[in-house]
């Protein structure tokens, strides 16, 4: 017990006293929190669009007025010719151009179908699709009002549970809790053994009566605590961003703990494999990128190709992302949390076991 | 007298943020045709001075003239070898040479001649295409020198070229540089080895940024003429006697030399066994003073003989068993046998030395015995615990001090002490007592909250020892424990070790300092993965005289080199 | 040791060490040659320059599919009429949805919490009667708002499917439904609407940053750490020679890696390449100036591999990933963050790369971007020369 306590205390101090470790501890998470939470939005706001109005009527003006009024669009710019349209799109000055043909005004009022041409920049395909939808919505509502068309079928009522206004920050905060914890936990644990190897203190550790599992536990607990603390920061920060926390804090801490352990296991594995800090850095980088990209944070796992999806089963972030979103926004019950928890437990056991074995094997 | 190739007048160097000047009012001149020595304890300012001459640091005040101009004006005629040799580890020997040849603007037509000469000179021709990182310490050092010499310089600056290098390589290096000096270049050689300093024509002695002495080493040695004596023929334990002698007021320094004791007095030596309160059979004879005596004298003498650490240490009663035992220890890495069939048994209360050139296999043997490497064959035991079957018990009964400072530099002194107390499983009360006592013994009270990494080397080494013995182990493993520290700190270190051994502790030590080898009760000489000689220091010296009859009163270093050369000759004959 | 710690403290005085040698091409070529040897022997080079780009390209190309695939939804049909069944069948038959049918919301709402389904479509009681009467009650679409982007897409698809269904039935009955404005969309450069294209192109930008900034900052920091910098500085070498010798090999290495990525992008991921190789080459070169400049500056300031790697991540990798506009629309970001993007070189690279691949040579777009990149490059290299003095202080 004394031995275990000694190494835990030592690792904790090593983390807090080394100015370089402090950098990894605080700066990247803060920068990510600030940048990510605001920058990472897949909504489209303030898009610039152009229009080429050959109709000279009122209906086109009404559509443009509504577009201009929406905060989805910033500038709605008049284009004088097809050439100007082409060059504006080519140069990415506008993401979309709306073309009203000569008959547009007349057609809207008559029963002939009126066609609105929208040309979009396929280079930014995601934003272009969203812009296209905004334009369609505006155009059809103007069309309906103009003809005061009666309809047998009302459009469906769309509602979103858990996030009624589909506010992006409601997604970002729980998701960032997952991503930032993974980046910190990995980079801290990845350095721990590698640094001792490079500085020569690892031998000192190995000739002491400390057993491998004691070293392992001692090394994993401080980054574990840092990760759990970092995760909890998001729970505390949620109200500041106006994000609700509907679930049980206890469940969140439970999930977070096993997530941190699994990540620590991966980091420790990389660290035991590396002889220098540079290798450890590269290793944790090579690992962090897929963990972030395949977690479902940037794009849903269901959209990935069949052959890639099984790979996500060994990505701890996959399970915790779902848990974090669920507990923050959906008041996820224990039974669902447990279903996501056991893979994390397995991953933690597997990676920590492998690191313990590598510890000794790499001594020779 | 040669031509002056570098001169410094009234040089002061101050680093921003530092309280004290790194160098204060230094005057120095380097002339061709001789080796100028730059000596001083760690942190004295030697490296700073050399870097100023190499135009790597701008001096704060004072005038510096190098090769007839300001530093940096004539870099073609300057050869510089930094502490870590400046080699690219992922380039081969010949690629490193080629790079430096180009960088120094050596015409391509002269390359072949220069490379052949240097490879021949350094005996590296066989390893031309080996990568720099795969060379042994001695070979790296020679390659570093070759790179500095690729275009024959007029001024050669060598920053501690012999740190961590075995005596054979050290001698070869010295011979190489002497040859260069004869060709008319000026050399500034910085070193912590005082026997090297003694051979220089001119020596500058630095301490804490100040010049303590400048001139021919014999001038310094003369200051202690008639104050050195050697005691031989005494009965009883030599360590105990040394302690008693050092505790005398008139003795300022003392060292063991096999079965004799060498003493430095603060007044003309009392050449009388009665005055020194020695037993009847003892003889006291005057001895020739060495540069080191003068150095210690200038620094105000060495420590007293009684070790407070040892006084508080528990008595270790190991009985008749062996403290450390190696039975046929063998380690192979692939095809390469790093240590072959090592056999020795060390009783309690002894100091046992493992000596050998770099890469000979002594580190491998050492590491197998403290459990860092698993032997391929054979077995080892520490304090009766087999390393294979009772690893944790064996590790609990040993204290370990690594070659370079390997405590946690980012942690404070107190945090380091706390950690090691805990790591060795001391209970809370035991830990508190052990730490308090350690702080007192090593006088660490003022520095408890400083980061260990910021301490001067001497303090680091004290702290390393403190951490290694906090759990009062019966066995101590010391891997080149005093590498790079100044002689005074080294004396203090050995005072503690001697005291601990008197209490029954056992010490296994590897070292390149032959003076430290003299402290050993028994020595194993390891060469080319094999144990080639075993015995007390005096026995080894006698053996050396047998194989090399030309030796008279050989030093430990002479013995070492003779035995290694004899082995080489035997192998050659067999082949 | 002590002297090294002292050496890291900035100097209080103003004396500087001045180079008096002339620039020498032979020394430069010697240093470059050495660098190439080292690069080719260091396994981490291959990882950074070839393996990592491959992983990134695969992950972005396959892993980050923003085009919605199949969405699992729950369909609650509370009405037995023919109209309700017909609409339900339309959902069942759609490729976009994988449907789990239920009689009541209560049956499946837990699945929305656990994430087993992502949305619920509720066809209410009286739907069929309403259709006959001409005022059908609206169906309800309930999405899982915890993932807003997917929710928007799912709502759009579900509503679109309903509208199509309604339009189809209206046509059968000879009564067009809704207003008569039709929107004809045309996506230039990417008619198949593949988000993979822009993601793969974006990952090429990331690869350039990794090699140009991260790798470069590590190698110079390594020279400081291993003490070889000290030995080199005592030779007649000039700082400019040293820096150029570092720039050239990594410049070439980056270009090789870009070529590799381009070939992969076109052959494996089917990304079109409509511009010219020349334009791609010019754009890449322009971007490598600030990328390498940043790497050199970082290593000159930090002189330490660990700090350099962290600084490289923060100032190179993360901004390129987040703020260059290839994942997230810059115009949607809050104004202060938009302002920051102007100093991120990748911001000027991404539109040019997208254009040269998907649109063609639009020099009127390339030139201002290239000018900005070159400007940053010159500024960063200038700063590097200022910082990287020949001195150990």
């Amino acid at each position: 017990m004394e031995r275990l306590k000694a190494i835990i205390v030592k690792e904790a101090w090593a983390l807090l006293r080394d100015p370089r470790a402090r950098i990894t501890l605080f700066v990247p998470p803060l920068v990510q929190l600030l940048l990510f939470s605001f920058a990472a939005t897949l909504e489209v706001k303030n898009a610039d669009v152009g229009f080429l109005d050959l109709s000279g009527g009122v209906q086109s003006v009404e559509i443009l007025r509504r577009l201009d009024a929406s905060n989805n669009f910033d500038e709605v710019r008049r284009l004088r010719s097809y050439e100007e349209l082409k060059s504006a799109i080519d140069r990415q000055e506008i993401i979309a151009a709306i073309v009203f043909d000569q008959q547009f005004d007349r057609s809207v009022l008559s029963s002939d179908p009126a066609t609105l041409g929208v040309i979009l920049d396929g280079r930014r395909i995601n934003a272009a699709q969203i812009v296209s939808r905004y334009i369609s919505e505006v155009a059809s509502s103007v069309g309906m009002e103009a003809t005061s068309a009666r309809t047998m079928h009302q459009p469906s009522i769309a509602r979103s549970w858990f996030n009624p206004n589909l506010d992006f920050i409601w997604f970002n905060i729980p998701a960032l809790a997952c991503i930032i914890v993974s980046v910190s936990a990995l980079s801290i644990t990845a350095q721990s053994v590698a640094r001792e190897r490079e500085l020569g203190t690892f031998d000192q550790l190995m000739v002491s009566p400390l057993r491998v599992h004691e070293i392992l536990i001692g090394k994993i607990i401080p980054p574990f605590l840092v990760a759990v603390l970092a995760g909890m920061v998001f729970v505390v920060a949620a109200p500041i961003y106006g994000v609700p926390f509907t679930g049980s804090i206890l469940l969140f801490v439970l999930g977070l703990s096993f997530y941190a352990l699994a990540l620590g296991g991966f980091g420790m594995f990389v660290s035991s494999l590396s002889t220098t800090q540079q290798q450890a850095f590269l290793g944790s980088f090579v690992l962090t990128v897929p963990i972030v990209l395949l977690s479902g944070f940037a794009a849903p796992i269901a959209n990935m190709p069949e052959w890639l999806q099984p790979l996500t089963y060994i990505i701890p972030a996959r399970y915790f992302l779902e848990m974090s979103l669920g507990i923050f926004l959906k008041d996820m019950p224990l039974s669902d949390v447990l279903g996501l928890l056991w893979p994390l437990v397995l991953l933690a056991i597997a990676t920590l076991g492998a690191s313990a074995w590598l510890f000794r094997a790499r001594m020779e | 007298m040669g031509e002056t190739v570098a001169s410094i007048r009234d040089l002061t160097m101050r680093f921003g943020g530092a309280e004290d000047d790194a160098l204060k009012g230094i005057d120095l001149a380097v002339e061709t045709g001789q080796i100028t020595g730059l000596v001083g304890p760690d942190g004295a300012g030697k490296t700073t001075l050399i870097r100023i001459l190499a135009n790597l640091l701008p001096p704060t005040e004072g005038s510096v003239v190098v090769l007839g101009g300001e530093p940096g004006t004539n870099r073609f005629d300057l050869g510089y070898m930094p502490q870590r040799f400046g080699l690219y580890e992922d380039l081969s020997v010949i690629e490193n040479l080629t790079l430096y040849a180009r960088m120094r603007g050596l015409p391509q037509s002269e390359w072949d001649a220069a490379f052949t000469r240097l490879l021949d000179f350094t005996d590296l021709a066989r390893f031309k295409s080996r990568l720099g990182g795969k060379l042994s310490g001695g070979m790296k050092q020679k390659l570093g020198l070759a790179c500095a010499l690729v275009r024959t310089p007029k001024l050669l600056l060598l920053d501690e070229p012999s740190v961590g290098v075995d005596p054979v390589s050290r001698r070869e290096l010295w011979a190489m540089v002497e040859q260069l000096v004869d060709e008319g270049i000026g050399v500034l050689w910085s070193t912590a080895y005082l026997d090297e300093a003694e051979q220089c024509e001119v020596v500058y002695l630095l301490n804490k940024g100040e010049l303590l002495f400048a001139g021919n080493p014999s001038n310094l040695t003369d200051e202690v003429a008639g104050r050195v004596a050697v005691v031989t023929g005494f009965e009883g334990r030599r360590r105990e006697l040394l302690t008693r002698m050092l505790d005398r007021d008139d003795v300022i320094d003392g060292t063991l030399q096999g079965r004799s004791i060498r003493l430095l007095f603060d007044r003309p030596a009392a050449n009388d066994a009665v005055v020194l309160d020695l037993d009847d059979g003892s003889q006291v004879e005057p001895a020739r003073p060495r540069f080191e005596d003068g150095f210690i004298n200038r620094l105000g003498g060495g420590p007293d003989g009684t070790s407070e650490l040892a006084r508080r240490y528990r008595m270790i009663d190991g009985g008749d068993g062996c403290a450390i035992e190696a039975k046929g220890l063998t380690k192979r890495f692939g095809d390469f046998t790093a240590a072959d069939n090592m056999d020795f048994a060390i009783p309690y209360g002894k100091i046992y030395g493992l000596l050998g050139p770099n890469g000979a296999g002594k580190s491998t043997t050492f590491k197998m015995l403290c459990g860092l490497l698993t032997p391929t064959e054979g077995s080892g035991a520490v304090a009766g615990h087999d390393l294979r079957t009772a690893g944790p018990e064996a590790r609990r009964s040993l204290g370990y001090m690594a070659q370079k400072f390997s405590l946690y530099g980012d942690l404070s002194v107190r945090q380091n002490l706390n950690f090691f107390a805990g790591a060795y499983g001391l209970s809370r009360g035991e830990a508190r007592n052990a730490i308090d006592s350690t702080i007192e013994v090593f006088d660490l009270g003022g520095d408890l909250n400083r980061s260990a990494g910021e301490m001067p080397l001497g303090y680091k080494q004290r702290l390393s020892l403190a951490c290694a013995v906090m759990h009062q182990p019966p066995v101590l493993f010391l891997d080149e424990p005093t590498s790079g520290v100044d002689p005074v700190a080294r004396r203090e270190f050995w005072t503690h070790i001697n005291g601990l051994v008197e209490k029954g502790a056992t010490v296994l030590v590897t070292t390149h300092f032959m003076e430290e080898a003299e402290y050993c009760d028994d020595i194993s000489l390891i060469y080319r993965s094999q144990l080639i000689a075993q015995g007390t220091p005096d026995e080894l010296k006698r053996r050396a005289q047998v194989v090399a009859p030309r030796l008279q009163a050989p030093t430990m270093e002479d013995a070492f080199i003779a035995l290694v050369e004899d082995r080489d000759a035997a192998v050659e004959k067999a082949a | 040791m002590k002297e090294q710690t002292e050496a890291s403290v900035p100097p209080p005085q103003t004396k500087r060490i001045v180079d008096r040698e002339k620039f020498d091409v032979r020394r430069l070529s010697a240093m470059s040659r050495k660098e190439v040897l080292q690069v080719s022997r260091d396994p981490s080079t291959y990882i950074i320059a070839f393996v990592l780009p491959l992983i990134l390209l695969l992950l972005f190309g396959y892993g980050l599919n923003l085009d919605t695939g199949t969405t699992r939804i729950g369909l609650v049909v509370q009405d037995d009429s023919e109209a309700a069944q017909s609409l339900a069948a339309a959902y069942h038959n759609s490729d976009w949805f994988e449907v789990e049918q239920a009689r009541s919301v209560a049956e499946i709402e837990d699945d929305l919490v656990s994430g087993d389904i992502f949305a619920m479509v509720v066809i209410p009681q009286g739907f069929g009667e309403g259709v006959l009467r001409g005022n059908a009650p609206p169906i309800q679409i309930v999405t899982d708002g915890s993932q807003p982007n997917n929710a928007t897409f799912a709502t759009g698809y579900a509503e679109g499917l309903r509208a199509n269904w309604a339009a189809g039935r209206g046509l059968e009955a000879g009564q067009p439904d809704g207003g008569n404005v039709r929107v004809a969309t045309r996506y230039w450069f990417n008619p198949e609407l593949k988000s993979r294209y822009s993601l793969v192109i974006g990952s090429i930008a990331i690869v350039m940053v990794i090699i140009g900034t991260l790798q470069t900052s590590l190698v110079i920091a390594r020279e400081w750490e291993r003490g070889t910098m000290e030995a080199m500085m005592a030779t007649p070498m000039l700082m400019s020679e040293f820096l150029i010798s570092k720039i050239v090999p990594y410049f070439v290495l980056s270009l090789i890696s870009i070529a590799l990525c381009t070939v992969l992008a076109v052959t494996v991921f089917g990304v079109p390449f409509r511009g010219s190789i020349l334009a791609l080459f010019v754009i890449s070169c322009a971007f490598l100036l600030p990328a390498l400049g940043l790497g050199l500056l970082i290593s000159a300031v930090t002189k330490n591999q660990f700090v350099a790697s962290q600084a490289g991540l923060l100032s190179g990798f993360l901004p390129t990933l987040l703020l260059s506009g290839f994942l997230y629309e810059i115009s949607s970001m809050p104004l202060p963050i938009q302002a920051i993007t102007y100093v991120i070189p990748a911001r000027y690279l991404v539109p040019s790369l997208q254009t040269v691949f998907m649109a063609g040579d639009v020099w009127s777009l390339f030139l201002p971007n290239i000018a900005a990149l070159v400007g940053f490059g010159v500024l960063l290299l200038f700063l590097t020369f200022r910082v990287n003095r020949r001195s150990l202080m």
Side-chain angles (χ1 to χ4, degrees), chain B residues 235-553:
Chain B
E235 305 274 309
R237 297 203 300 275
R238 55 184 188 145
R239 274 183 280 270
E240 195 188 42
L241 181 62
L242 175 65
T243 307
R244 216 170 65 199
M245 289 295 110
L246 281 173
D247 281 343
R248 286 176 64 94
D249 285 342
D250 56 347
V251 174
I252 58 175
D253 187 30
T255 48
L256 291 179
Q257 289 189 329
R259 275 299 294 178
S260 16
I261 293 178
R262 194 165 185 281
L263 297 171
L264 172 65
F265 294 86
D266 66 350
R267 60 199 76 157
N271 295 336
D272 189 334
V274 182
V275 176
L276 289 173
D277 194 16
L278 297 167
D279 50 40
D280 289 345
S282 314
Q283 291 129 34
V284 183
E285 281 161 24
R288 199 177 63 81
R290 296 188 196 141
F291 185 71
E292 186 164 351
D293 299 319
F295 183 87
I296 297 268
N297 183 44
R298 272 292 176 106
L299 290 178
D304 278 350
T306 306
S307 157
E308 184 61 19
L309 172 71
R311 201 181 60 73
R312 300 182 183 205
Y313 215 73
R314 68 189 172 106
M315 262 322 275
I316 290 154
D317 181 19
D320 296 333
C322 278
I324 302 173
E325 213 175 354
K327 278 190 200 150
L329 274 183
T330 301
K331 182 73 194 174
R332 289 190 202 94
F333 298 102
D335 291 342
F336 174 66
T337 306
D340 191 10
N341 201 21
M342 298 295 166
D343 249 324
F344 47 84
I346 309 170
Y348 281 96
K350 296 284 177 195
I351 301 181
Y352 197 87
L354 289 180
L355 263 55
N358 296 98
K362 61 180 190 315
S363 285
T364 308
T365 309
F366 188 85
K367 282 185 171 171
M368 282 193 282
L369 279 171
C370 57
L372 285 173
L373 284 175
T374 316
T376 318
E377 276 167 35
S379 67
V382 173
H385 305 290
D386 189 284
L387 284 161
R388 274 179 206 267
T389 54
E393 286 79 14
R395 291 204 297 275
R396 200 168 305 131
S397 39
L398 66 86
Y400 172 82
M401 209 176 137
Q403 192 166 348
K404 53 178 191 174
F405 175 71
S406 61
L407 301 183
Y408 295 93
D410 299 320
L411 300 192
S412 71
V413 171
R414 183 183 279 284
Q415 285 161 350
N416 268 297
L417 292 172
N418 283 343
F419 169 63
F420 282 98
Y424 282 93
L426 301 191
S427 73
R428 191 184 294 255
E430 285 168 354
R432 199 182 312 116
N433 289 339
I435 292 171
D436 288 348
S437 147
T438 301
I439 292 170
E440 247 180 86
V441 169
F442 289 99
D443 192 20
L444 295 167
D447 296 304
L448 282 176
N449 294 318
R450 269 176 87 184
S451 287
E454 292 169 4
M455 316 250 292
L457 193 78
Y459 274 87
K460 283 183 184 168
Q461 186 238 10
R462 272 190 201 175
L463 184 61
S464 295
L465 178 64
C467 289
V469 299
M470 202 151 32
H471 59 298
Q472 307 208 338
V475 178
L476 264 178
F477 280 74
L478 310 173
D479 192 6
E480 296 189 26
T482 58
S483 177
V485 305
D486 65 80
V488 178
R490 201 180 309 141
R491 295 282 194 286
E492 188 196 307
F493 178 82
W494 279 100
T495 301
H496 290 309
I497 297 300
N498 285 334
L500 295 181
V501 171
E502 285 300 290
K503 287 268 182 148
T506 310
V507 174
L508 181 70
V509 60
T510 70
T511 183
H512 283 321
F513 284 96
M514 289 304 127
E515 151 202 338
E516 284 183 355
E518 301 268 15
Y519 284 92
C520 297
D521 295 296
D522 254 310
I523 290 174
S524 274
L525 190 55
I526 297 175
Y527 184 53
R528 294 199 169 161
S529 316
Q530 279 173 340
L531 212 158
I532 61 167
Q534 226 169 346
T536 65
D538 291 340
E539 279 167 15
L540 288 184
K541 285 180 205 164
R542 276 197 295 276
R543 284 263 286 283
Q545 272 179 308
V546 174
V547 300
R550 70 195 150 75
L551 288 177
Q552 284 174 357

Side-chain angles (χ1 to χ4, degrees), chain B residues 10-26 38-52 57-61 205-212, chain C residues 2-9 12-13 393:
Chain B
D10 204 18
L11 170 78
T12 297
M13 184 68 198
R14 194 176 307 121
F15 288 102
E19 285 169 31
D20 299 325
D21 291 349
L23 292 171
K24 282 174 272 206
I26 306 290
L38 186 60
V39 200
D42 180 78
K46 303 192 292 287
T47 298
T48 305
L49 190 106
I50 288 192
R51 283 179 173 171
I52 289 172
L57 288 174
T60 313
E61 278 162 39
L205 178 58
L206 285 181
N207 190 38
K208 293 180 181 160
E210 278 173 288
L211 201 56
L212 281 191
Chain C
K2 181 148 181 254
E3 277 151 356
Q4 273 172 9
T5 41
E6 283 166 355
S8 62
V9 179
Q13 84 293 64
M393 304 257 265

Side-chain angles (χ1 to χ4, degrees), chain B residues 186-258:
Chain B
V187 175
L188 184 64
W189 175 302
S190 108
T191 182
Y193 287 89
L194 297 176
D195 53 342
E196 281 175 3
E198 195 161 9
Q199 296 178 55
C200 297
E201 268 87 342
V202 181
V203 162
Y204 291 87
L205 178 58
L206 285 181
N207 190 38
K208 293 180 181 160
E210 278 173 288
L211 201 56
L212 281 191
F213 171 83
N216 190 286
S218 60
N219 296 344
L220 191 67
T221 314
D222 288 347
E223 290 178 6
V224 288
R227 285 161 50 182
V228 183
V230 170
V231 181
T232 49
F234 53 88
E235 305 274 309
R237 297 203 300 275
R238 55 184 188 145
R239 274 183 280 270
E240 195 188 42
L241 181 62
L242 175 65
T243 307
R244 216 170 65 199
M245 289 295 110
L246 281 173
D247 281 343
R248 286 176 64 94
D249 285 342
D250 56 347
V251 174
I252 58 175
D253 187 30
T255 48
L256 291 179
Q257 289 189 329

Side-chain angles (χ1 to χ4, degrees), chain B residues 13-18 22 42-48 51 54-62 70-76 78 80 82-92 95 98-100 102-105 131 159 453-457 460, chain C residues 1-13 15-21 24 26-35 37-39 41-42 222-238 241-242 246 390-393:
Chain B
M13 184 68 198
R14 194 176 307 121
F15 288 102
D42 180 78
K46 303 192 292 287
T47 298
T48 305
R51 283 179 173 171
N55 192 31
L56 298 171
L57 288 174
T60 313
E61 278 162 39
E70 275 187 45
T73 26
N74 190 351
R75 278 188 262 155
F76 289 96
L78 175 78
Y80 170 54
Q83 251 176 36
R84 280 175 292 170
F85 315 138
L87 298 175
Y88 286 94
E89 306 223 318
D90 31 19
L91 296 190
S92 69
E95 283 162 355
T98 314
L99 173 67
Y100 277 91
R102 285 180 206 227
M103 298 313 290
R104 295 195 178 279
L131 293 188
D159 193 0
E454 292 169 4
M455 316 250 292
L457 193 78
K460 283 183 184 168
Chain C
M1 265 325 280
K2 181 148 181 254
E3 277 151 356
Q4 273 172 9
T5 41
E6 283 166 355
S8 62
V9 179
Q13 84 293 64
K15 250 189 213 178
R16 277 186 59 184
I17 287 173
V18 192
D19 272 322
R20 289 190 191 77
E21 303 296 331
D24 185 318
R26 279 168 307 173
R27 282 198 300 263
L28 173 61
S29 84
M31 281 300 280
S32 303
R33 212 176 290 198
K34 174 225 103 187
E35 203 61 36
L37 275 176
Q38 281 191 301
V39 165
R41 278 176 197 168
D42 183 358
R222 190 175 60 191
E223 296 234 6
W224 284 105
E225 276 188 358
R226 291 198 182 161
T228 45
M229 194 69 175
E230 196 179 332
M232 278 295 135
M233 287 194 324
T235 72
M237 178 192 75
L238 298 183
E241 292 165 5
F242 176 78
K246 291 282 174 189
R390 169 188 295 282
S391 166
L392 286 178
M393 304 257 265

